[in-house]
Amino acid sequence: AHQYMMALSEGVCPPQCVNSSNQPLVSITAATKEISNPDGAVAHVTTKISGTITWTPANGCNAIVKQFNETIVDGFAGTAVPTVAYALGTTPVLALRKFNCCSNYANGVVITLPITITATFPAA
């Protein structure tokens, strides 16, 4: 199993108010997108990270929901195509990212979340 700390950067536009009590909410899932073993020794696993981020813009009352997708490519030593399982941390850590140091608005969010990817190869 490989353990990582994912750090995903996602933009929020219109921007989020840094001082708002309604901070962004995130939901994330992981699934196998592709598995290949081109050289017969290392399985290349492409993982699709999908999620939503919900935030309330600084100039409005209605929440906005944005979908996002990212990919992770990992390698596992083995001579076949494995079965892949995922375990995500339960609570993402969010950090607002400010692009303008003179305002209280954030144009981005950094999402940090642990992920464990386990590849199980078939018996030889």
Side-chain angles (χ1 to χ4, degrees):
H2 296 170
Q3 296 179 334
Y4 300 99
M5 185 62 74
M6 292 189 297
L8 309 172
S9 294
E10 301 298 333
V12 290
C13 185
Q16 164 81 34
C17 181
V18 173
N19 298 325
S20 171
S21 60
N22 293 324
Q23 292 299 296
L25 300 174
V26 173
S27 174
I28 297 176
T29 61
T32 303
K33 182 176 180 181
E34 181 182 10
I35 302 173
S36 65
N37 198 330
D39 62 5
V42 176
H44 301 265
V45 176
T46 302
T47 300
K48 180 179 178 181
I49 306 297
S50 301
T52 58
I53 181 167
T54 304
W55 77 97
T56 302
N59 60 352
C61 297
N62 296 326
I64 295 175
V65 178
K66 173 187 171 183
Q67 294 181 332
F68 62 87
N69 293 299
E70 306 284 349
T71 56
I72 299 171
V73 179
D74 201 354
F76 293 88
T79 59
V81 175
T83 300
V84 180
Y86 299 95
L88 294 170
T90 55
T91 307
V93 176
L94 305 179
L96 293 173
R97 186 175 61 199
K98 289 175 29 175
F99 290 102
N100 182 345
C101 65
C102 300
S103 73
N104 286 323
Y105 301 119
N107 294 317
V109 175
V110 176
I111 305 159
T112 307
L113 183 68
I115 182 172
T116 301
I117 304 172
T118 303
T120 304
F121 289 88

